[in-house]
Amino acid sequence: MSKYYIGIMCGTSLDSIDISIASITGKRILVKFFDEYKLDAALKNKINEIKRNSRSSNNLKKVNSSITLLIAKHVQQSISKYKLTYKDIHAVGFTGITLNHRPDLKTSTFIGDPILLSKKLKITVVSDFRQTDIDAGGQGAPLAGLFHNYLNRIIKKNITYLNLGGFANITVPHQDRTISYDTGPANYLIDLWCDKYFDMEYDIDGSLASMGNINIELLKSMLKEKYFKKKYPKSTGFELFNESWIQGHLEKISKISDLDILATLTYLTVITVSNELKKYKNNKSRLFIYGGGSFNKILMNGILDLSGMKQAEDLKNIINEKNLEATAFAWLAYMRQNEIEVTNMNSIKSKKTYLLGNIY
């Protein structure tokens, strides 16, 4: 009899393919195994090129197949590593690598082929989470808020969650409901700047940003972005916040060093996240921070200081900063395979319930 669900995650920063293997019921979750498989620079460059030119790229079909086969290979490696077989797995939750997320146009596409993945693994694959959420009236992201709600029910506490991935999103218990949305950029712009000007994949511990100075003129210009003033529900991505967006603001500044730009981009995340958290003044819950940015001391300390919130430690024996997001997709696969409907967290008016994801 099958014992586990697998969740696969590869975020916008393309740091790694994360694989979580978990035992899940309605009242209990246990992450049994977790692996990270780093993406090589050549593949990351191909994926980023397709993201920039998704409509005209002749390589999309080829990369779509190669990334799926790579993910299948890594899943098989993890299954073998822990002496499991495909028969031990109920289903795989696979969200793909986001290619074009446009909830305003009612569409969200991704790199990866769930049909091919299911065929290679001989395991049921649940996918299309973002598109089915959009079709039901949601934003298609962030989806982890549904999992956060489940975790809070398990521990019987109202934790606030902050994901510092390529983009930052928060899940906040507020009044009689839980809300979840993107606050704006996080690691995506920071990593982009590190890669281009410092030949580094990311800013280790925020050490580079700590050597720069925040440019107030640049920061004020960036904070005028309409997205930051937009009310919840909302979601965003690299379609808006990208190198062109940075350069557009730099054109208004006379002279600024690359280090100061990095420091300003880092503080942009600190202030935009903190501003959103402070909107919920009556929220006395603690803050669980996860994702790659949770290892950036400048981001972490800045957000905790500016928001005035304290860090949560209630989930130590259940989940951690690295495995939460992949595990969320294992849980979403469990929900869909067991035909358990979810409630739209990204709609103010609708309390509609629906099945999230398609089964392959």
Side-chain angles (χ1 to χ4, degrees):
M1 184 177 176
S2 302
K3 301 176 183 177
Y4 305 113
Y5 288 87
I6 290 179
I8 303 168
M9 180 64 195
C10 183
T12 49
S13 294
L14 301 177
D15 296 325
S16 60
I17 295 167
D18 296 344
I19 295 173
S20 180
I21 304 176
S23 170
I24 305 171
T25 68
K27 296 181 180 178
R28 180 178 173 273
I29 185 165
L30 178 64
V31 178
K32 292 290 290 184
F33 311 107
F34 177 75
D35 289 312
E36 293 177 287
Y37 296 96
K38 296 294 181 183
L39 286 174
D40 65 58
L43 183 56
K44 286 172 72 170
N45 289 337
K46 284 182 183 178
I47 293 169
N48 282 324
E49 179 60 29
I50 286 171
K51 284 182 176 183
R52 287 190 292 267
N53 304 288
S54 59
R55 291 180 183 176
S56 59
S57 175
N58 294 322
N59 295 323
L60 177 56
K61 193 171 182 179
K62 186 177 179 181
V63 170
N64 201 46
S65 176
S66 62
I67 195 70
T68 303
L69 294 175
L70 178 65
I71 289 169
K73 174 187 171 185
H74 289 323
V75 171
Q76 288 166 337
Q77 283 177 314
S78 290
I79 288 174
S80 175
K81 177 180 176 181
Y82 302 113
K83 296 179 170 56
L84 304 174
T85 72
Y86 70 91
K87 293 180 181 179
D88 292 311
I89 311 301
H90 283 288
V92 173
F94 174 60
T95 187
I97 298 171
T98 301
L99 179 61
N100 187 32
H101 182 70
R102 292 293 303 271
D104 55 323
L105 300 178
K106 307 297 181 187
T107 185
S108 184
T109 58
F110 60 87
I111 298 171
D113 184 342
I115 297 174
L116 177 60
L117 185 63
S118 178
K119 182 180 178 182
K120 286 293 178 182
L121 295 176
K122 299 179 184 176
I123 301 170
T124 297
V125 171
V126 184
S127 193
D128 305 330
F129 297 109
R130 301 194 192 284
Q131 188 60 55
T132 51
D133 186 61
I134 290 172
D135 292 343
Q139 289 282 310
L143 295 175
L146 295 162
F147 182 55
H148 301 154
N149 220 9
Y150 166 78
L151 291 174
N152 281 353
R153 288 200 307 272
I154 288 177
I155 63 173
K156 298 178 181 177
K157 290 186 180 180
N158 284 330
I159 303 274
T160 293
Y161 296 81
L162 166 61
N163 175 25
L164 290 174
F167 294 84
N169 55 71
I170 59 173
T171 300
V172 185
H174 182 58
Q175 297 174 351
D176 62 342
R177 61 196 175 102
T178 302
I179 58 178
S180 186
Y181 60 95
D182 291 340
T183 63
N187 299 321
Y188 187 75
L189 295 184
I190 294 169
D191 293 352
L192 184 155
W193 206 255
C194 283
D195 180 57
K196 184 162 185 176
Y197 294 98
F198 299 101
D199 196 25
M200 295 174 65
E201 290 188 359
Y202 58 94
D203 188 6
I204 302 170
D205 287 335
S207 56
L208 281 174
S210 68
M211 293 188 285
N213 295 306
I214 297 165
N215 184 291
I216 300 302
E217 188 181 357
L218 177 60
L219 180 64
K220 285 182 176 179
S221 176
M222 289 177 167
L223 287 171
K224 289 178 182 177
E225 167 59 49
K226 290 179 182 178
Y227 183 81
F228 300 133
K229 298 175 177 64
K230 188 177 179 181
K231 293 182 179 180
Y232 154 87
K234 60 181 181 177
S235 64
T236 192
F238 56 82
E239 297 85 0
L240 171 60
F241 294 103
N242 48 44
E243 187 176 358
S244 296
W245 185 84
I246 298 172
Q247 294 296 345
H249 291 284
L250 287 176
E251 288 174 2
K252 306 169 188 176
I253 312 299
S254 55
K255 191 176 181 181
I256 180 171
S257 72
D258 294 333
L259 267 179
D260 288 354
I261 293 168
L262 182 63
T264 307
L265 288 171
T266 302
Y267 194 69
L268 175 71
T269 296
V270 170
I271 197 168
T272 51
V273 167
S274 300
N275 283 348
E276 293 301 320
L277 290 171
K278 287 192 290 186
K279 287 180 180 179
Y280 308 98
K281 295 178 182 177
N282 296 324
N283 178 22
K284 303 298 182 184
S285 69
R286 290 179 178 261
L287 183 65
F288 183 84
I289 307 176
Y290 68 99
S294 64
F295 301 96
N296 183 318
K297 292 178 182 178
I298 301 297
L299 285 178
M300 287 285 288
N301 294 336
I303 290 167
L304 291 170
D305 288 345
L306 198 58
S307 69
M309 297 187 74
K310 294 183 179 179
Q311 204 164 352
E313 297 182 353
D314 309 76
L315 296 162
K316 277 187 174 179
N317 298 321
I318 301 173
I319 214 89
N320 64 38
E321 294 85 351
K322 284 189 174 183
N323 67 27
L324 189 149
E325 202 157 14
T327 306
F329 286 102
W331 178 79
L332 287 172
Y334 157 82
M335 294 288 284
R336 181 62 183 88
Q337 196 182 42
N338 288 279
E339 298 190 345
I340 303 171
E341 295 188 338
V342 301
T343 303
N344 194 328
M345 298 183 70
N346 293 312
S347 174
I348 294 172
K349 298 177 182 179
S350 175
K351 295 294 181 184
K352 175 183 177 182
T353 61
Y354 52 96
L355 293 172
L356 189 64
N358 292 320
I359 296 175
Y360 295 91

